[in-house]
Amino acid sequence: MEDSKTSDKLSEFLESGVYRLEDSNAVFIDPVRVLNRSYTRFRVSPSAYYSRSFDSKHAGQEARVSSNFRKRKRKEKKPQPLNDRERAADQRHQEVRPFLLKAHESLVRATELLEVVSNLKGNLGPSTSSPGAEQSLVELGRVWQAPLYEITLNFHPNDSAREDGGAPTIQYCEQRAFPVFNNLVVNETSEDVEAELLNSRYILPPESSFYMSDLGQIHNLIPAESDCGFNLIVIDPPWENGSARQKQRYSTLPNRYFLSLPVKQICHTDGALVALWVTNREKLRGFVEKELFPAWGVKYVATFFWLKVKADGSLISDLDLFHHRPYECLLLGLVHGKVTDSKQLSNTKPILPDNQIMLSIPGDYSRKPPIAGLLHEYAPRLQRGRCIELFAREMTAGWISWGNEPLHFQESRNFMKT
C-alpha cells in the first residue's frame, strides 16, 4: 500500500512538477515541469534552466575544495559579537530553522524522488537554439530610438483536418507588430507565440502579456476602474545588494524607490494578495515591515520560504551560514478592498498557513521558482482573478509581466521545440 502511494505521488510529480513531502509542510518543485504545463509547442530546456546547478565532477570537486578552504579560513577568525540587527536576524533564523530542517529531512527520505531529481537536466534533452549574443533590453530601452522599436508576434498556423479525411489544410501564419516599450503586448491565444525583436527570438506563453518600461511608467498599469484591478500581485524587487552589484547581473534600486509603487491603486476593488520576495538582510525586513507594507496598504499574514538544494538533495550551503543562508523569503500580505464586509477576502486568510517551505534546485542567478500554482492553491478565490508580476524577468501564462526586462528568460535559446 505504501509503495503504491509513493508511486502515485511520483507519477503526479512527473506530470505536475510538484511533490508533496511527507511529515512536513513542504513541497519540492521542479520549475521546468511546472512551467511546461503551460506551453504547447515549446518546452523550457532543462539544460538551459539548470545551467548553474549540474556541474561536471571536476568542477564540483574544485567547488568543494574552494568551500573547504573558505571554511578553514573562517575557523581561523575569532568570533565577533553580534550587533542588535544581527541578533534579530539570527532570532528569525532560529525560529524557522526547525521547519527548514524537517522539510530537508523529508526530502532526503524521498529516495524515489531524488532518483528523478538527479537527472533533471538531462532527461528532457538540450535546447535547440544555439547560444547567441545576449541582447540587453534594459540598454535598448534607454536609447532615443526606443519608441520606434517594434516586436513582431508570429502566430502559429492552425492545422485543421479536412472533413473527407484528407491532408489537413494549413492556414497562413499571421504576423502582428507592436511597439515593444511602454506598451502592453498581448498574446491572447491559447498557444505559444514566437516573437521577433531585432535579431532575437522570444517565446510568449499562452494568454500572457508584458509591459516593458522603467519605474517612471509603472502608473500606466493603474486600471481606469478598480474592479478591473489585480487580485494577485507578485513582486520581486531589484533590492540593493553587494552580490548583484559585483556580478553586474541586473541593475538595483535603493529601497526608497519601492515606496512609490502604486500597489494599492492596481488592486482589485475586492482586495488582493501580495507576495513579496525579500532577502535575509534584517535591515531590509525591518524596512518592509515598518515602511513598505504600510505605504502600500498591505497587512502581513504569512511567510513562505524557498529552500535551495542541489541535484543530490543536499543544501547549496550550510543552513547556519550567517551571510549566505540557503533560503529566501516570500512575504505574503493582504490589501483589503473597498467592500468592508467581503466574505471572499475573509475566506482567504485562514488558508495562508505560515512557514510553508518550497524546495527546488535554483536556476539562473536571481531566477525564482514558479509559484503561481501554489498561491492559487492557498487562495482558490484568486484562480479566476487577474494576476501581475512586478519587476518580472520572465512571463507566466495568464499573467501580466511588468519590468524593464520581462523577456529576459523568454529568449528562444532557453526553449526546445516539442
Side-chain angles (χ1 to χ4, degrees):
M1 184 69 179
E2 188 65 29
D3 290 342
S4 175
K5 182 179 179 181
T6 298
S7 178
D8 290 344
K9 288 180 61 177
L10 191 59
S11 297
E12 182 181 347
F13 167 74
L14 295 175
E15 177 67 25
S16 68
V18 177
Y19 188 99
R20 304 188 181 284
L21 296 167
E22 296 287 348
D23 304 323
S24 69
N25 55 343
V27 296
F28 179 86
I29 301 173
D30 173 13
V32 173
R33 281 189 169 86
V34 173
L35 292 171
N36 283 337
R37 292 172 60 188
S38 300
Y39 288 93
T40 56
R41 297 187 302 114
F42 290 87
R43 292 291 181 268
V44 176
S45 167
S47 59
Y49 190 98
Y50 294 116
S51 59
R52 293 195 309 153
S53 303
F54 289 78
D55 299 323
S56 66
K57 185 176 180 181
H58 178 68
Q61 289 174 340
E62 288 183 344
R64 285 192 294 272
V65 170
S66 176
S67 176
N68 291 336
F69 177 73
R70 287 195 298 268
K71 288 179 180 178
R72 286 197 299 271
K73 288 192 68 176
R74 281 195 296 271
K75 288 179 180 178
E76 293 171 2
K77 293 182 179 179
K78 294 182 179 180
Q80 298 293 326
L82 301 179
N83 59 36
D84 292 343
R85 188 173 289 161
E86 289 171 334
R87 281 195 296 271
D90 188 60
Q91 181 177 347
R92 287 188 195 269
H93 173 69
Q94 295 303 327
E95 290 173 354
V96 73
R97 190 177 186 275
F99 299 101
L100 297 169
L101 279 175
K102 188 175 182 179
H104 184 241
E105 290 167 357
S106 297
L107 174 63
V108 172
R109 289 196 302 268
T111 54
E112 75 292 336
L113 171 64
L114 291 179
E115 289 179 7
V116 176
V117 171
S118 63
N119 294 314
L120 282 182
K121 182 179 179 181
N123 59 6
L124 291 177
S127 59
T128 55
S129 300
S130 58
E134 185 172 349
Q135 181 171 275
S136 174
L137 298 175
V138 177
E139 294 179 4
L140 195 65
R142 291 171 178 165
V143 300
W144 68 268
Q145 303 100 320
L148 304 178
Y149 287 119
E150 291 186 335
I151 187 168
T152 301
L153 274 55
N154 300 306
F155 294 92
H156 186 66
N158 295 319
D159 297 345
S160 54
R162 288 168 47 177
E163 293 182 0
D164 60 4
T169 301
I170 301 178
Q171 301 176 359
Y172 290 104
C173 179
E174 180 185 0
Q175 291 186 326
R176 302 178 199 169
F178 303 91
V180 71
F181 295 105
N182 302 332
N183 181 53
L184 186 66
V185 180
V186 182
N187 171 21
E188 72 277 15
T189 73
S190 58
E191 298 283 332
D192 313 335
V193 167
E194 293 181 81
E196 297 178 8
L197 173 60
L198 296 180
N199 296 320
S200 296
R201 290 194 308 123
Y202 302 89
I203 310 300
L204 277 54
E207 300 176 353
S208 65
S209 55
F210 71 86
Y211 192 101
M212 185 153 52
S213 75
D214 59 23
L215 189 59
Q217 303 297 321
I218 193 173
H219 286 79
N220 291 330
L221 296 175
I222 300 175
E225 302 292 337
S226 58
D227 58 358
C228 294
F230 298 97
N231 305 96
L232 176 55
I233 304 171
V234 173
I235 311 175
D236 186 16
W239 304 112
E240 274 194 316
N241 66 81
S243 178
R245 183 169 56 252
Q246 182 181 8
K247 297 180 180 180
Q248 297 181 337
R249 297 284 185 170
Y250 57 85
S251 300
T252 60
L253 291 172
N255 291 349
R256 66 180 184 276
Y257 279 63
F258 305 120
L259 292 167
S260 64
L261 289 179
V263 173
K264 181 83 171 179
Q265 295 94 313
I266 66 174
C267 289
H268 193 277
T269 186
D270 290 335
L273 174 65
V274 176
L276 175 70
W277 286 103
V278 298
T279 66
N280 290 309
R281 294 173 58 214
E282 184 61 25
K283 180 179 180 181
L284 177 58
R285 292 293 295 272
F287 168 73
V288 170
E289 294 171 357
K290 298 176 182 178
E291 297 185 55
L292 196 60
F293 269 10
W296 289 351
V298 174
K299 181 180 179 181
Y300 167 82
V301 292
T303 300
F304 287 7
F305 295 89
W306 173 29
L307 187 59
K308 306 175 188 180
V309 298
K310 300 177 184 178
D312 61 1
S314 62
L315 299 176
I316 64 167
S317 63
D318 188 280
L319 184 60
D320 297 314
L321 195 58
F322 194 87
H323 293 292
H324 299 281
R325 286 174 177 148
Y327 61 88
E328 294 185 41
C329 306
L330 183 70
L331 305 184
L332 301 174
L334 294 174
V335 175
H336 291 280
K338 295 180 180 178
V339 181
T340 55
D341 186 21
S342 174
K343 294 182 179 179
Q344 287 183 320
L345 190 60
S346 63
N347 289 338
T348 300
K349 188 172 181 179
I351 52 177
L352 283 174
D354 204 11
N355 296 324
Q356 295 294 292
I357 313 297
M358 304 171 290
L359 300 94
S360 74
I361 300 172
D364 203 356
Y365 189 85
S366 83
R367 193 174 192 178
K368 303 300 191 296
I371 58 172
L374 289 176
L375 294 178
H376 283 148
E377 177 182 332
Y378 288 115
R381 78 177 186 87
L382 301 173
Q383 190 68 41
R384 297 181 181 274
R386 298 189 70 211
C387 307
I388 188 171
E389 181 176 1
L390 305 182
F391 301 103
R393 304 183 79 207
E394 66 182 311
M395 299 176 66
T396 302
W399 285 52
I400 294 178
S401 302
W402 171 85
N404 60 3
E405 50 177 350
L407 297 177
H408 181 79
F409 291 117
Q410 301 304 134
E411 286 193 81
S412 60
R413 60 179 170 177
N414 295 315
F415 294 81
M416 56 187 184
K417 282 191 175 181
T418 56

